[in-house]
Amino acid sequence: MPVPDSNPLTPAQRKAAAELLRPVTRRLDDLARLFTRRGHQLALVGGPVRDVFLRRPSPDLDLTTDASPQQVLEITAGWADASWTVGIEFGTIGLRKGDDTLEVTTYRSERYTERSRKPQVRYENTLEGDLGRRDFTVNAMAARLPSG
């Protein structure tokens, strides 16, 4: 859900943003098509989006999806050179493809108890729901794939 006082991008701004993002999103087109063929969404999110606008390289690619962690593993089997599940309890699957390191996290919301810094995770159904849990600096920025 957008911040109440946010201004939606104009079509010209969307086109300009997609053009800036294209060198990064192009590397993810094959992966995005795999998710789309299986009926799932995929978006580049957070720091990598910020880094595009700052015109600097991003050391990793953070993605979010409506697919469950198990579905992410199934979808990327045969595509990824390597995968790891160290963050699976929080919905995150790590992947390596060539020189790219990716983390794909299922849309989620988080709830923290007073006694713990570890969140209780609940999966969400929408990109907007997932972005709502993120801080408002850069982590709530996303580019839907493959469209950018």
Side-chain angles (χ1 to χ4, degrees):
M1 171 178 335
V3 177
D5 63 349
S6 68
N7 296 314
L9 296 177
T10 67
Q13 290 169 325
R14 284 183 183 275
K15 183 178 179 184
E19 287 174 15
L20 281 174
L21 287 159
R22 193 70 192 131
V24 175
T25 61
R26 182 179 299 122
R27 298 181 352 228
L28 301 168
D29 281 348
D30 289 340
L31 180 61
R33 281 191 280 277
L34 289 174
F35 276 78
T36 301
R37 280 189 216 126
R38 298 284 294 270
H40 293 286
Q41 300 172 8
L42 188 67
L44 183 68
V45 68
V49 177
R50 171 209 58 218
D51 290 344
V52 165
F53 292 109
L54 293 176
R55 299 182 189 266
R56 65 183 188 199
S58 188
D60 56 13
L61 299 170
D62 297 325
L63 302 154
T64 189
T65 182
D66 61 335
S68 71
Q70 187 58 44
Q71 290 170 318
V72 171
L73 287 169
E74 291 168 8
I75 292 167
T76 60
W79 177 85
D81 298 330
S83 63
W84 52 95
T85 59
V86 83
I88 198 166
E89 71 179 289
F90 300 106
T92 301
I93 300 296
L95 304 170
R96 186 177 49 76
K97 177 70 171 179
D99 293 334
D100 290 324
T101 301
L102 305 89
E103 286 190 345
V104 182
T105 303
T106 301
Y107 297 158
R108 68 182 191 216
S109 61
E110 298 170 342
R111 187 170 149 256
Y112 291 84
T113 63
E114 292 178 17
R115 300 179 194 269
S116 176
R117 292 179 46 182
K118 293 183 181 179
Q120 295 174 344
V121 174
R122 185 180 79 193
Y123 294 132
E124 290 289 333
N125 297 319
T126 66
L127 174 60
E128 293 78 13
D130 181 80
L131 295 176
R133 77 176 172 84
R134 298 169 183 268
D135 67 52
F136 293 114
T137 55
V138 298
N139 289 328
M141 297 186 341
R144 291 185 188 272
L145 302 175
S147 68

